Amino acid sequence: MIKSSYRLLRVILPLTLLGALLLAGGCATTKTYTGDLPPILAQDELLRPYQKVADLEVRRERMGAPSDISPEDYAWGYDALRREAARIGADAVMFPQLSVETEHYILFPSSEMKAKGVAIKFR
C-alpha cells in the first residue's frame, strides 16, 4: 500500500509542478486593455480648449538591453499612460515620450523604461 502511494506521488508531483510552471509563465504576458481609456492626442488633434491636469510618469524594469526595445514595450508605455490618465479623471494624454533609462547587468541585461506624458481635461 505504501509503495503504490509513493509511486503515485512520484508521478503526480512532477506533473503538478510542471502545470504550475506553465500557468505561471502564462501570467507573465502583457495584457492590453484599451476600452474607455483616454486617447493619446497630438497637438493638432486638439480642437477644443483644455487645461493641463498633471504630468504623468510611469516606470518599469524590463529584461533585455536598451537596444532591443520592441513594439510591445511601446504599447506598454502608451497603455500605462492612458490608465494613469483615466485613474485621475483626465480626458486625454498629450506629448507621450518613451525612453529606456538605466541599464543593469547582474546575470542578464535589464533596463528601466520610463513613459512620460501630460494629462489634460477638456473645458
Side-chain angles (χ1 to χ4, degrees):
M1 179 74 174
I2 294 176
K3 286 184 180 183
S4 64
S5 297
Y6 180 70
R7 282 187 204 148
L8 185 62
L9 184 62
R10 285 182 55 196
V11 171
I12 291 177
L13 185 61
L15 290 176
T16 304
L17 291 174
L18 179 63
L21 286 174
L22 290 175
L23 288 174
C27 295
T29 61
T30 303
K31 189 174 186 179
T32 304
Y33 174 73
T34 58
D36 296 335
L37 292 178
I40 294 179
L41 299 177
Q43 183 73 33
D44 61 347
E45 293 177 309
L46 297 170
L47 305 175
R48 299 186 291 180
Y50 64 90
Q51 66 184 22
K52 178 180 169 180
V53 177
D55 289 321
L56 304 173
E57 184 175 317
V58 291
R59 297 172 183 258
R60 115 176 149 161
E61 190 77 20
R62 66 180 282 279
M63 296 307 290
S67 60
D68 64 357
I69 194 165
S70 68
E72 289 83 17
D73 294 321
Y74 283 101
W76 166 83
Y78 296 140
D79 288 342
L81 288 174
R82 294 174 67 203
R83 282 192 301 274
E84 284 298 308
R87 188 179 63 78
I88 63 172
D91 293 326
V93 177
M94 295 176 27
F95 309 124
Q97 299 174 353
L98 185 69
S99 61
V100 180
E101 293 292 317
T102 312
E103 190 173 355
H104 306 283
Y105 286 95
I106 296 173
L107 293 176
F108 297 103
S110 68
S111 51
E112 182 181 58
M113 292 189 60
K114 185 184 343 180
K116 292 181 176 183
V118 177
I120 62 169
K121 186 115 177 124
F122 293 116
R123 294 183 193 177

